[in-house]
Each structure stands twice: as structure tokens, then as C-alpha cells.
Amino acid sequence: MADTAGHERFFPYDEPYPNQREAMDRIANSLARGQDVLLEGAPGTGKTLSALVPALAHARDEDRTVVITTNVHQQMRQFVEDARAIAREAPIRAVVFKGKASMCHLDVGYEECRSLKETTQSLVEAERDRRELADRSDALLDAVRDGDDEAAAARTAVVDELDELEEEIEGLEAANVCEHYRANLTRNTEEFREWLFEDVRTPEEIYAYADERGLCGYELLKEGMEEIDLVVCNYHHLLDPSIREHFFRWLDRDPSEVITVFDEAHNIEAAAREHATRTLSARTLEGAIAELDDADDSRASSARNVIEAFLTGLERAVDGALGFGERDQVGEEWHDLDIDNDDRRDDLTLGFLDAYEGEGIDTELDLALQLGGALDEAYEEAYRRGETTTRQESSTLQAARFVADWMGMGADLGRRPMAAVRRDRGSNEVYGRAELYTAIPREVTEGLFDEVAASVLMSATLRPFDVLSDVLGLESPATLAYGLEYPEKRRRTYAVTGPALFSSDRDDPETQATVAETLAGVIGVTPGNTLVFCPSYAEAERYHGRLSLSNAYLDEAGTPTETLRQRFVEADDAALFTSLWGTLGEGVSFDGNDARTVVVVGVPYPSLSTRLEAVQDAYDREYGHRTSDAGWRYAVEIPTIRKTRQALGRVIRSPDDFGVRVLLDKRYTRAGRDMGKYGVRDSFPAEERDEIIDVAPEKLQFAMLNFYADLDAYDGDPPAP
């Protein structure tokens, strides 16, 4: 049993929130058993500290490291604040880690950085050897002057070695080196380590500190991660298998010595797919063919046989998937094409096999991999020697690796062959891309959760727990769920018994009029700002335009989220129209009058797409033995309700807060239960479902007016409905 009293030494404030102490105790006990934890807590209930406090105590007792991760920028800042608060109460060593791209002083890629480091390391070592040899030469010269005949011969050998070393150094100095990293290796950096652990430093602070001193902060940070209690990082450090391997090595930890804490864990499913999915464009294939044309190597013709045939297969698959006139409509963004077949291999593979003329795909693909590897090594050597200013990567190697994975896919139910097209902005040509889309994220996450000591996954919207465990590959986790403990009389959740806003009905004038009138009434009686979440940006733009309010904001492409949020919260009695699938639906705080009312317009099902169909098909095959509608439930319904619940959570952020949540669609009401799988009321957790009050559109503003008036929320007389 864990020492449940001991972990509170890491709690940085006077008193835990309601249920926070219980959550900390239960998580502490689970970690002591090596058991994963799923923690759902309503916004503002202190989930981060509920997980972080017992995790840090367990790590301290068991000599482990806690890694807390998120994919939401604002949450990263919150983690830093919490870590600093903890550090003021208990001595912990914490670092905040970002990728090289955000901390590099030279703005070079990963391979270039690696080559620069290796060359710089070689130069510094050679210079150190030169100093040692020079000292030895001076000592031998003194011995010669003292009459030591043997010293003369020894000194001659040392001088010869020095001459050779001078030539080597001259060559290295002419090569590409990193002066920032060179400073790391040649100067005393103990001052940096002392500064680093005086507080919890952000990557921006580390970059500025190092840049001012001509050091490489990224490499210094990596070297300072040993014996660390807490690391704050992004999802990709854990979800990308290759990055994770390096990351744990920087920590000097075996995975079994790491506790992972995932915030906004409902996003892991999509993030894992993104990290597992691989792509190969026609441009890379064309680059590989050009590279092979220039290669003076006997393996080039075999490599070309494979790569050229795969390019032909891709072009044929794209042509076959594009309908009449569709090529002319292709834009600059990737447009997915379905090339899969139920009864045979996908169209790209069939086109590849038909176009291939060679001595055997496996044999020639292996030769392509060998040649690609040799070319890549040659490019690196040229960069290290300073013969090129950038580190070129072998297109042949990239193409051969992808084709090998593509052909090895076989009967893998979790990966879907896909293609996409886009228009090149410069040439105006349409070209394709092959993609191995990973539909089942468990292929990425299960290995991670198996190898670490334990994991805590937390979010305001994790339930249903059994589905999340299935999808991510968690074995018998402990489950904790805490709803809003704030007074129920300070909040209302209404489901409007108006039209069901199916996509096919959204253009109906009568439906639009009802929605617009309802929104106008809601915004008019709200004593503060109103958030309006629509199923898409197009719908947000529609109702923003229809209402023509003087103090209304529209979330549009190109407007930074924080800039828009700041303008909105500084306004009074304003309305903000956005898409529920945008960035304002989660991880963004709206406190007090910043957002008194939130409206979710419609049931925001994701757009029907080839990817969504792939996920549904994969889930039907994988989990169909559990429920007949596994694909629909796992891939569509549950993610949609999670998104809806996230949006509702933008109001009521503290015990003193109050507000109204509105679900504007018949499918949320009791009457919606008669609509089969499209009725979503029962998809909400029971305690949230019990708070939902059905109300007619024309009566909603009166209900809200009475609620806000009872709380004395208006300055002066209530507005006229």
C-alpha cells in the first residue's frame, strides 16, 4: 500500500479542491500497484495536481521520473505554473522540453544537426589531442636539451603525429561545424546547470539564456535531464517510437523507471494515428528517379525498376479515383482519394504490380534500400566535410523504405492504403501522394503503456472508460470520475426541442430562422459574453452573418487563437462564433463574464471522409464482437460527444462561477431517443444527462432570464426578452 499521507508534501496550496484529496489517494495506491489510471474530472477541479502530486511522491520513493505531456499549448503553460508552485514547497528538479526546431539557434533539420554535432565533436577532440601532443612535444624537447638521446626519437614521432593532426584539424575547420555546440564542449557550463534548476525554466527562457552566451541551449538541456524528477513535454516525445527511444535515453531512464501523465488524454487517439501514419508523394518518387539517373552504381537500374513502377501505380490510382472534371477542381490542400477494394488489393498496389518489369520486387527493393543507404551516407559525409551547405537526404532511401512498408502491409487490419492529390502552387500541376493510414491507434500506444511503470490519463471527457481502454490498449486500468462539485443552482444545461440539424436540413430557411432567432434570444439575455460552437466554420459564418450583431466575433482562418480570444474577453456582452472542431473548443479558458453562456449548435459529427470510413471499418472488425455498431460508436458518436462536452466545459470554471450551457438540437432531448442511433442524449454520463432540461426554442430565453435574474447577474434591470 502506498504511503498516502506522504504525497501531500508535494501539494503546493493550502487545501485541495473537493474530491482532489480522494483522487490523489486513489492514484497513489494505483501507482504503487503499477496500475494505469483513467481520471475524468470536470474543468476547474484540479486534475493536474491530482495526478502530478502522487506521481511525484511515487517517483521520489521509487527512484523514477515523471513525464507529464499535453498537445495543448495553454496547458503547457499551466504545467509550468504548477511545477513552479510545487518547487516552492518541495525541492524538485524539473525541466520543460520542446523539440529541436523551437530551440535551435541555426534553424537546421535533424539530420543536419546530427552531422554538425559529430563534426564539431571530432574537431574539439582533435584540438584537445593537439594540445596534449604539443605539451608532450615540449616536455620531450626539454629532455633532449638535458641530453636524453632517446627523447629525440620520441619527439620526432610526436611531431609527425602533430603534423598529421594539424591536417585533420584544418580539414575539420573547413567543414560545417556548430559554434554554439562547440562552446558547450569547450567552456564550463556548470553555471547553466545551476541556473536551470534554480527554477522551472521554459524553453524560451533557456533559448534566450543560451543565445546570449553563444551556447546551444537544446543540447545543454538534454545533458541536464539526468536525475530529473519531472519533465514537461509534448505528445510527440512519447507517441513517436523513435523519438521516445532517444527521449528516455536523454533521461537516462529505462522505460520501466518512467511514470507518464497524459493531459487532454481524449486527444491521444487522433495524435497516435498522426504519428503512425506514413506518406510518400510523387515529388519524392520523381526525386528518387532523378537521383538514380545520376548514380554511378550497378544497383541503380534495379532500384529504378521498383520506384518507377510504384510512381506509375500511384498515377494510375489517382487517375482512376478522380471523377469526371474533378482534376480541374483540385486545390492546393491535400484531397483524399479512396483506392481501397473490398475483394482485392488496393488500386495503387494493382497498378504497381501491373507496371513492374524486373527481376523480382523483393530482390530489387532490397537493392534499392542498399543503394539509398549508401547515397545517404555519402550526402552526410559531403555535408560534414563542408562540401555542401545543406545536408541532403536520399529520396531513393525514403521511397524504398515506404514501398517496403507498403508491400509488407498485407492483411494488416489496422492500416489503410490511401492516396491524395493536390495542386502545385508553382507549376499548377496536380500530383499524388500515397499514404499508409493507421486506423487503430492501439498499435502505437499499447507498446508505450506496456513498457512504462504506469500511466495516468486525464481529461474532462474520457468516458466511456471501456471504449478508451479498448482503443488505446490499456489493460484493466483504475477509473476515477468526478463531476462538477460546484453548486448546481449556479448552472443550467438546456436541450432545445427545436429542429434536428442534420446536414441535409441546414439549408432549410425555416430551420435557419429558428436557429437564428434562438441564438439572438440567448445572446440578448446573457449577462456577459456568449460562445457559439457550430458544426463547421461555414455554419459559424452563416449565423454570424444572419444575426448581424454589433459586438460579434467570427473565428476565421488566419486569425491566431490567442489574439481572437483576447479581443473577445476584453469585450462586453459579445458573441463569438466558431467551429466546435476548431481550437477554441478545448484547452482555452473563459472565466467569469468572459463566457457566461455557451451554445452548441447541432450535433457536430465529423465530416464523412475516406479516413473516417477507414476508422469505422477497422473498429467494426476489431471490436465488432463487443457491439454490433462498434464502428459508429467508437469512431463517430463518442468522439462527437466528447467534443460537445469539451465545448460545454468552457463555462463554469471555478466554485464562484455560474453560467448556462445550451444544446441546440432535438437530438439532445428526450424526444431524440426516438431517432435511433442519432439520438445522443444517452451518450452523456448519467449525472450530466440528469441535469439536461428540455425546453422549447421560444421559451429558452425566458428560462435563462429567470436563472440569471435569480443570481442577480444583471447590472440594473434585466433585459427585455
Side-chain angles (χ1 to χ4, degrees):
M1 182 68 68
D3 178 13
T4 56
H7 60 253
E8 289 198 20
R9 68 189 185 275
F10 290 97
F11 191 78
Y13 305 116
D14 292 337
E15 280 295 324
Y17 285 139
N19 290 326
Q20 204 172 32
R21 178 173 282 112
E22 177 189 332
M24 289 189 292
D25 290 346
R26 292 183 62 185
I27 291 173
N29 289 331
S30 297
L31 294 179
R33 295 191 296 267
Q35 185 179 24
D36 297 325
V37 179
L38 300 180
L39 168 63
E40 179 176 295
T45 55
K47 294 184 294 296
T48 299
L49 288 177
S50 295
L52 198 50
V53 165
L56 282 170
H58 174 85
R60 179 65 58 84
D61 294 342
E62 301 296 331
D63 188 25
R64 291 172 173 168
T65 293
V66 178
V67 177
I68 186 166
T69 179
T70 183
N71 68 337
V72 179
H73 184 66
Q74 181 163 308
Q75 287 301 106
M76 184 79 77
R77 294 198 297 267
Q78 183 60 50
F79 291 166
V80 173
E81 292 179 13
D82 288 336
R84 285 174 172 166
I86 291 171
R88 287 192 290 267
E89 300 297 322
I92 63 169
R93 292 162 66 90
V95 297
V96 184
F97 199 79
K98 280 190 177 180
K100 186 194 73 61
S102 64
M103 298 185 69
C104 182
H105 304 266
L106 301 180
D107 191 25
V108 296
Y110 175 79
E111 290 298 332
E112 288 176 315
C113 179
R114 185 172 62 83
S115 295
L116 285 171
K117 282 177 54 185
E118 290 176 358
T119 305
T120 305
Q121 180 80 45
S122 297
L123 175 59
V124 170
E125 290 174 354
E127 289 174 331
R128 184 172 59 244
D129 292 343
R130 180 175 61 183
R131 289 192 298 271
E132 292 175 355
L133 285 172
D135 290 343
R136 186 178 173 194
S137 174
D138 290 344
L140 288 169
L141 182 59
D142 290 341
V144 170
R145 289 170 177 165
D146 291 339
D148 186 343
D149 295 337
E150 293 182 2
R155 184 174 182 275
T156 299
V158 169
V159 170
D160 290 342
E161 193 173 347
L162 262 172
D163 289 341
E164 293 177 4
L165 197 55
E166 287 288 356
E167 290 184 15
E168 180 184 345
I169 290 173
E170 185 177 341
L172 289 169
E173 286 178 334
N176 290 308
V177 297
C178 175
E179 292 300 332
H180 288 81
Y181 184 58
R182 187 176 185 176
N184 286 12
L185 299 175
T186 56
R187 288 161 49 186
N188 187 342
T189 57
E190 188 58 36
E191 181 182 333
F192 170 83
R193 292 179 60 84
E194 293 174 0
W195 170 84
L196 179 65
F197 296 120
E198 285 174 357
D199 197 354
V200 180
R201 308 294 187 182
T202 66
E204 292 76 18
E205 290 170 334
I206 293 170
Y207 178 93
Y209 180 96
D211 193 55
E212 183 179 328
R213 293 160 177 79
L215 300 166
C216 177
Y218 178 72
E219 292 298 328
L220 286 175
L221 180 59
K222 282 165 52 178
E223 293 163 8
M225 287 174 65
E226 297 179 5
E227 301 179 3
I228 289 295
D229 297 298
L230 174 66
V231 182
V232 180
C233 67
N234 296 314
Y235 270 9
H236 67 264
H237 289 105
L238 293 177
L239 293 182
D240 187 302
S242 60
I243 296 177
R244 182 167 73 238
E245 182 179 348
H246 292 297
F247 187 61
F248 286 163
R249 187 166 64 249
W250 298 333
L251 290 177
D252 195 27
R253 289 293 193 184
D254 185 82
S256 63
E257 299 172 317
V258 174
I259 302 290
T260 62
V261 179
F262 280 85
D263 184 59
E264 303 294 349
H266 61 281
N267 289 322
I268 296 177
E269 180 179 354
R273 285 198 192 96
E274 182 180 337
H275 284 290
T277 295
R278 298 192 56 210
T279 62
L280 177 69
S281 80
R283 291 289 185 260
T284 302
L285 288 162
E286 291 163 357
I289 293 169
E291 185 179 59
L292 292 169
D293 287 343
D294 293 337
D296 184 15
D297 191 292
S298 61
R299 296 168 290 188
S301 60
S302 293
R304 182 175 180 128
N305 286 341
V306 174
I307 292 172
E308 197 167 47
F310 195 83
L311 175 60
T312 300
L314 173 60
E315 291 171 342
R316 290 177 181 176
V318 166
D319 288 341
L322 286 171
F324 178 75
E326 217 175 332
R327 179 176 288 271
D328 295 333
Q329 299 173 15
V330 173
E332 294 176 2
E333 300 296 326
W334 287 111
H335 172 66
D336 289 338
L337 302 172
D338 189 4
I339 59 170
D340 198 27
N341 296 298
D342 293 334
D343 57 347
R344 54 198 173 98
R345 293 295 297 267
D346 61 274
D347 292 338
L348 194 162
T349 302
L350 294 175
F352 169 46
L353 295 175
D354 183 61
Y356 175 74
E357 295 178 357
E359 302 301 319
I361 290 176
D362 291 343
T363 300
E364 295 196 315
L365 186 55
D366 187 54
L367 291 172
L369 287 166
Q370 293 176 25
L371 178 54
L375 291 169
D376 207 59
E377 290 176 5
Y379 296 148
E380 177 161 351
E381 185 63 24
Y383 180 70
R384 291 183 63 183
R385 291 179 178 274
E387 297 168 6
T388 57
T389 57
T390 58
R391 201 286 192 189
Q392 185 178 344
E393 295 186 31
S394 171
S395 297
T396 299
L397 183 60
Q398 295 176 46
R401 284 174 172 170
F402 183 90
V403 175
D405 282 351
W406 184 279
M407 297 308 293
M409 177 178 54
D412 187 344
L413 299 181
R415 302 179 85 180
R416 175 80 167 256
M418 292 180 60
V421 289
R422 65 176 296 184
R423 187 175 300 278
D424 185 278
R425 180 178 298 180
S427 66
N428 203 38
E429 294 178 358
V430 172
Y431 67 100
R433 178 182 74 180
E435 179 174 343
L436 280 171
Y437 179 63
T438 298
I440 299 180
R442 191 176 69 190
E443 295 184 4
V444 176
T445 57
E446 190 168 29
L448 166 64
F449 295 133
D450 283 346
E451 68 180 7
V452 298
S455 297
V456 182
L457 281 62
M458 58 185 184
S459 169
T461 56
L462 284 187
R463 288 180 285 180
F465 291 133
D466 60 331
V467 173
L468 188 77
S469 298
D470 278 350
V471 169
L472 300 183
L474 292 161
E475 187 68 30
S476 303
T479 58
L480 295 75
Y482 299 103
L484 276 174
E485 294 299 316
Y486 313 141
E488 189 174 336
K489 66 181 181 180
R490 299 180 69 82
R491 64 181 183 268
R492 288 290 184 274
T493 307
Y494 296 108
V496 180
T497 60
L501 303 178
F502 291 102
S503 58
S504 57
D505 298 327
R506 291 175 191 161
D507 291 331
D508 179 71
E510 187 175 340
T511 295
Q512 291 181 23
T514 299
V515 173
E517 290 170 10
T518 304
L519 288 175
V522 167
I523 295 166
V525 300
T526 295
N529 290 349
T530 303
L531 281 167
V532 181
F533 289 99
C534 298
S536 66
Y537 284 108
E539 287 293 289
E541 184 176 7
R542 182 204 297 274
Y543 288 106
H544 174 267
R546 280 191 67 108
L547 268 63
S548 300
L549 300 171
S550 60
N551 205 9
Y553 296 85
L554 177 63
D555 186 6
E556 298 178 282
T559 303
T561 298
E562 183 54 28
T563 300
L564 179 63
R565 189 197 72 84
Q566 195 62 41
R567 289 170 52 207
F568 173 63
V569 301
E570 289 175 356
D572 295 322
D573 299 326
L576 173 58
F577 293 77
T578 185
S579 167
L580 189 131
W581 294 97
T583 56
L584 289 169
E586 58 181 89
V588 180
S589 292
F590 296 91
D591 302 315
N593 280 351
D594 292 353
R596 281 291 175 216
T597 298
V598 58
V599 186
V600 175
V601 179
V603 180
Y605 290 124
S607 300
L608 186 63
S609 67
T610 302
R611 293 171 190 274
L612 185 58
E613 290 177 357
V615 175
Q616 283 189 253
D617 290 346
Y619 281 176
D620 272 330
R621 292 194 295 265
E622 187 74 11
Y623 306 113
H625 63 285
R626 306 255 176 114
T627 174
S628 59
D629 61 347
W632 168 264
R633 186 163 182 263
Y634 283 29
V636 180
E637 180 182 284
I638 290 172
T640 297
I641 297 304
R642 283 187 181 135
K643 277 288 184 184
T644 302
R645 294 176 64 212
Q646 283 285 332
L648 295 181
R650 296 313 94 202
V651 300
I652 321 292
R653 307 290 294 183
S654 69
D656 298 329
D657 209 350
F658 61 91
V660 169
R661 291 89 65 90
V662 178
L663 297 163
L664 209 171
D665 194 298
K666 177 182 177 181
R667 288 170 287 182
Y668 293 111
T669 68
R670 288 186 178 85
R673 288 169 169 157
D674 297 332
M675 304 175 73
K677 69 177 183 179
Y678 297 109
V680 297
R681 188 187 188 96
D682 291 335
S683 297
F684 287 81
E687 72 278 8
E688 293 181 19
R689 184 169 64 242
D690 291 343
E691 287 191 25
I692 299 175
I693 301 169
D694 291 353
V695 61
E698 65 274 11
K699 295 183 179 179
L700 175 60
Q701 61 178 321
F702 294 99
M704 291 178 59
L705 189 65
N706 291 334
F707 168 75
Y708 283 126
D710 288 345
L711 292 173
D712 294 325
Y714 298 110
D715 292 331
D717 294 332

